Each structure stands twice: as C-alpha cells, then as structure tokens.
Amino acid sequence: MCIAIPAEVIEIKEGNIGVVDFGDLKQEIRLDLVDVEVGEFVLIHVGFAIQKMSREEGLETRSLFREVYSAMDQKPPVTL
Amino acid sequence: MVVGKEITEKLHQMVDRDLTFMHICGTHEAAIARTGLRSVLPKRLKIVMGPGCPVCITPQGEIDAALELVKMGCIIATYGDLLRVPGSIGSLESCGGDVRVVQGVHKAVEIAERTDKEVVFISVGFETTAPTVAASLLTNPPENFSILSCHRLVPPAMKWLLQQGEAALHGFILPGHVCTVMGYHEYEEFPVPQVVAGFEAEDILLGLLMLVEQVKEGTHRVDNAYPRAVTHDGNRKAQDLMYRVFEPSDVEWRGFPVIPQSGLRLRQQFVQYDAQKKFKLQFKHISKDTACICDRVLRGIAEPADCKLYGKVCTPRTPVGPCMVSHEGACKIWHLYNIRHS
C-alpha cells in the first residue's frame, strides 16, 4: 500500500489543498507534508504529497508507471 | 529493458555463492512477480518477502477491535485493502456495518464533518502513511472523529529479524517509499548490506547488483538505488509532523511477537482522537487455528506455495490469511500471476 505516483502541482488552494495533474487525471490532494510551488512535481500517496521530485524525474517515472499499468491490464489467467 | 539485460548479465557473472536478500515492501513483491524477475536471476540468488505489507502484519486482534467498533454503531472508514481481512468472526466486508472505503484519512475526516455519528478511521500503514494521518489530526477534526492506530515502523522489525536470524539473510532491499519519507539514516545502524530500491524491474535489478557488490566486498552500508525519490534524510517536515502526533510503542505484528517500539500510538495531547481509549478497546492476542502459514511467509521463511491452503481453500475471493487479501500480500500477488514456486 506504499504506492506513490508522481504528479505536477497545477494549483494551490487555501488550507494546504493542491490540484495536481497525473497526466490523464486532475485531482485535489493535500499538501500538508511538503512545501511546493505550482509547476513542481510531487509523489502522491493516499491523497497526500509525500515528497518533491524534479520535473524530469517526475515525467520519467510517470511514463514508466503508464507502461506498467497498461501491462497490468493484460493480466495472466488465474487457473488455480 | 536494455539496461536491465546488462545488469542481469553482470549479476550472473558476479554471483558465486548462495545469497538470500529480503525485501520489506509489498509493492516490491508486486513488481518482482509481475515482471517475472526471479526467473532471470542467477539460481543461487534468492529474493524472499519480509513483513512489508501493512495490512498483512496487522494482527487479528486489531481487526477484531475494528469489528467491535462496527457493533457499537460507528461508521468505519479505511483503505479497501483491509476489508476482507478475516477477523475472529467475519471481516469488515461481511460484517453488515457502515464500512466505507476512502482514499486517505482526510476523506474520513470529511465523512465525520457531515454526520453526528462516530466515525473511526482504521489507520494502518508504515512511515509512508503515518505522516498523512498526523497532518490530518493537526487540522482539528470534529469530536466525532477518531482513529484506531495500527501503524507500524519498519526498522524495529528489521532489527528483530536480524537478531532472530531464522531467515539467514545476506542483505535487505529497503522499502523505497518508506525511505522517501524517512530517508535511510535509520538503517545505517544495521550491520548488513542494504539498498534502497525503486519499483521498476530495473530499479530492483540495480538494487540487487549493489547488494551483491557489498557482499563480495565483504562490507555493509546503505546504498541508494532510488535517488529520484529518496535522500539520506528524507522528508523532515513529514517526520516532524509524525512524531509531533505519534510516539513509538511496543506492539505485536502478525507472525511476530511484540516488537519493542515498533508501533505508533497517539501522544497524550491527541488522546481525544484515540479510538482505542475512546471506546475502551483491548487488542487481544488471538492464536491462529488454521493451517494458514502467513506468519512464516511474513518472516521470510516460507513461500505462499508452501501453504497447503494456497489456491485451494485460500483464494482472493475466500481468503483465510491476510496475505491473500491485500494487493500487497505475497499470496494474493503470487495467485494473480499463478506462481507455484520462486
């Protein structure tokens, strides 16, 4: 359950709430644990940004995640 | 996976003895199983699973306490992974109570803000997750909100495993996102090769190579194979918030005895949010009465396929043990990819 996914901060609202862009999905998340500015990349876990990342690293990790998740759609058959 | 191929070849050249490395993260097991990583490794290099799934290591007594809260009429909010974990009688999914799956603790607080009923968040998770709960409690949630703290800290469990020695480990792959928050300085006290690894096949292969190098050099240190997220000191702000709200406590892990200072309980000034105190709950030690070997899987001394129940009586639809429930549980992951042996 320690999955964390990179996203770009596109808006910062009052009360430590941010809007982030995961690439295909925009979502409100909590920014209590990091000090960030719009345009920076963060790792998101259970609706909270847990760390900042560089833009390049964020984009790179995100493309890797996309590959992985598209691969996960082709699950092997469970025959047990 | 060009880089991965090179690393794999190098591993085959370097491994000249039996080596067993443990990871302590369900997300690592998921990545290893999904990519079939074990099949490309040298035969003498073995990766075993440790107690890296927070849902799996939550003892039955704590699940029973959550079920008690349902009986008291509380609204229960938690992560979806926890729903099917069997308690002594039934699970949160089958209990017939008002049980709601939330993205995170902040959504459970929002539920409490919209009702007069008591709302309890079943708060599982390692150091990656605990700061999110701390941050939410610092926003002054309403009086009808509380948490059942089932948090665990990774280093004390590692210390127990090393002292105990039953798994005969040569090194550890450290959990990448726990270390994203905590850094890896805490692990430097352990006299064993360690590497912080990310979650792609290449991240894990690189981590394994770094571990093999340490073993062959006859040294031990903490290498960082996941520098894009992990620094030596981690996220200080998150750590400060976590320790402002929680303090370490002695707790039982499923499959383990009570491990000193391995849990997190709320500090005195946050006692009003402590469901255990608010509802006078005792966490009872429950002895297991099935043939389930989740306890041994969590200690790295058995594989899911060693269990007589695996894939027969125990499936993701009818789980007997917690490792068949969580998406990060070793048994569920192996079942998904139809793995019979490592």
Side-chain angles (χ1 to χ4, degrees):
Chain A
M1 68 171 277
C2 288
I3 287 178
I5 302 171
E8 181 180 0
V9 179
I10 53 172
E11 189 183 344
I12 295 175
K13 298 180 175 180
E14 217 174 297
N16 277 329
I17 293 169
V19 179
V20 295
D21 182 359
F22 287 98
D24 303 316
L25 171 75
K26 292 182 181 60
Q27 201 174 45
E28 278 194 0
I29 52 105
R30 304 279 323 177
L31 294 171
D32 308 62
L33 305 177
V34 290
D35 297 311
V36 280
E37 289 173 16
V38 169
E40 289 191 287
F41 266 73
V42 284
L43 264 178
I44 311 289
H45 166 68
V46 296
F48 283 72
I50 58 166
Q51 183 62 297
K52 289 200 279 190
M53 293 184 106
S54 77
R55 188 178 185 83
E56 295 74 37
E57 286 162 348
L59 285 169
E60 188 187 331
T61 311
R62 193 158 76 189
S63 69
L64 279 167
F65 256 97
R66 283 216 182 116
E67 276 177 41
V68 170
Y69 277 109
S70 62
M72 276 175 86
D73 285 340
Q74 298 146 24
K75 286 173 189 166
V78 177
T79 54
L80 282 171
Chain B
M1 214 169 82
V2 181
V3 182
K5 190 161 179 282
E6 280 171 24
I7 300 174
T8 312
E9 280 168 9
K10 188 131 191 235
L11 273 171
H12 277 272
Q13 287 163 20
M14 286 184 73
V15 173
D16 57 0
R17 63 198 86 178
D18 291 332
L19 293 173
T20 303
F21 298 131
M22 176 181 273
H23 69 70
I24 323 172
C25 181
T27 313
H28 276 144
E29 184 57 34
I32 290 164
R34 187 187 64 238
T35 56
L37 199 75
R38 287 189 177 93
S39 68
V40 302
L41 296 179
K43 291 249 174 311
R44 304 182 77 177
L45 174 54
K46 197 173 169 197
I47 310 173
V48 298
M49 298 147 271
C53 159
V55 169
C56 306
I57 55 86
T58 302
Q60 200 165 323
E62 291 174 36
I63 304 294
D64 286 352
L67 291 166
E68 277 290 305
L69 290 165
V70 173
K71 273 194 211 160
M72 292 179 197
C74 300
I75 296 173
I76 301 295
T78 192
Y79 307 107
D81 266 20
L82 207 67
L83 290 192
R84 282 193 191 167
V85 180
S88 296
I89 306 167
S91 64
L92 285 171
E93 188 185 49
S94 68
C95 67
D98 191 348
V99 180
R100 305 186 194 182
V101 173
V102 289
Q103 177 195 30
V105 60
H106 55 306
K107 296 293 175 189
V109 173
E110 286 176 16
I111 294 172
E113 284 165 351
R114 296 194 299 263
T115 180
D116 294 330
K117 283 189 168 181
E118 287 290 335
V119 176
V120 185
F121 180 67
I122 312 301
S123 202
V124 295
F126 293 132
E127 294 95 319
T128 322
T129 317
T132 68
V133 180
S136 288
L137 292 183
L138 287 165
T139 63
N140 296 320
E143 273 180 17
N144 61 333
F145 179 79
S146 57
I147 69 158
L148 192 68
S149 179
C150 306
H151 290 292
R152 297 291 188 281
L153 302 169
V154 173
M158 250 181 84
K159 190 174 180 180
W160 187 92
L161 282 162
L162 284 167
Q163 283 170 347
Q164 227 270 348
E166 67 182 351
L169 303 169
H170 299 93
F172 284 89
I173 303 170
L174 299 179
H177 289 141
V178 169
C179 294
T180 297
V181 171
M182 300 305 287
Y184 53 86
H185 56 96
E186 292 177 288
Y187 297 86
E188 288 169 340
E189 66 164 300
F190 300 127
V192 62
Q194 297 164 79
V195 60
V196 188
F199 298 95
E200 302 310 323
E202 291 178 358
D203 289 325
I204 297 168
L205 282 170
L206 178 63
L208 289 170
L209 183 65
M210 288 165 130
L211 282 174
V212 173
E213 277 174 349
Q214 286 190 45
V215 173
K216 292 198 78 165
E217 286 167 22
T219 184
H220 62 81
R221 60 178 178 268
V222 186
D223 283 331
N224 184 6
Y226 192 30
R228 62 185 187 273
V230 176
T231 60
H232 181 264
D233 293 337
N235 180 348
R236 288 276 187 194
K237 187 175 182 184
Q239 294 164 34
D240 289 346
L241 290 176
M242 182 173 95
Y243 282 118
R244 204 191 301 170
V245 173
F246 292 104
E247 59 189 359
S249 63
D250 301 348
V251 288
E252 180 192 344
W253 295 46
R254 194 183 289 247
F256 295 73
V258 171
I259 304 176
Q261 303 294 286
S262 68
L264 288 175
R265 69 173 168 225
L266 288 167
R267 289 185 184 276
Q268 191 56 37
Q269 61 267 42
F270 297 93
V271 74
Q272 72 270 30
Y273 296 120
D274 188 341
Q276 208 186 341
K277 295 213 168 83
K278 193 172 185 178
F279 300 100
K280 300 184 175 53
L281 296 168
Q282 293 286 331
F283 290 157
K284 297 186 190 88
H285 173 78
I286 313 286
S287 304
K288 129 194 124 146
D289 56 0
T290 70
C292 167
I293 61 163
C294 277
D295 53 340
R296 299 178 64 226
V297 171
L298 291 167
R299 298 207 302 276
I301 54 171
E303 295 175 347
D306 295 334
C307 182
K308 283 187 253 176
L309 310 182
Y310 172 72
K312 298 185 180 83
V313 180
C314 185
T315 69
R317 280 179 197 281
T318 56
V320 177
C323 299
M324 191 57 95
V325 179
S326 171
H327 296 301
E328 305 245 313
C331 301
K332 179 156 183 189
I333 294 165
W334 279 40
H335 193 269
L336 172 65
Y337 295 104
N338 199 15
I339 299 172
R340 305 296 184 106
H341 293 286
S342 66

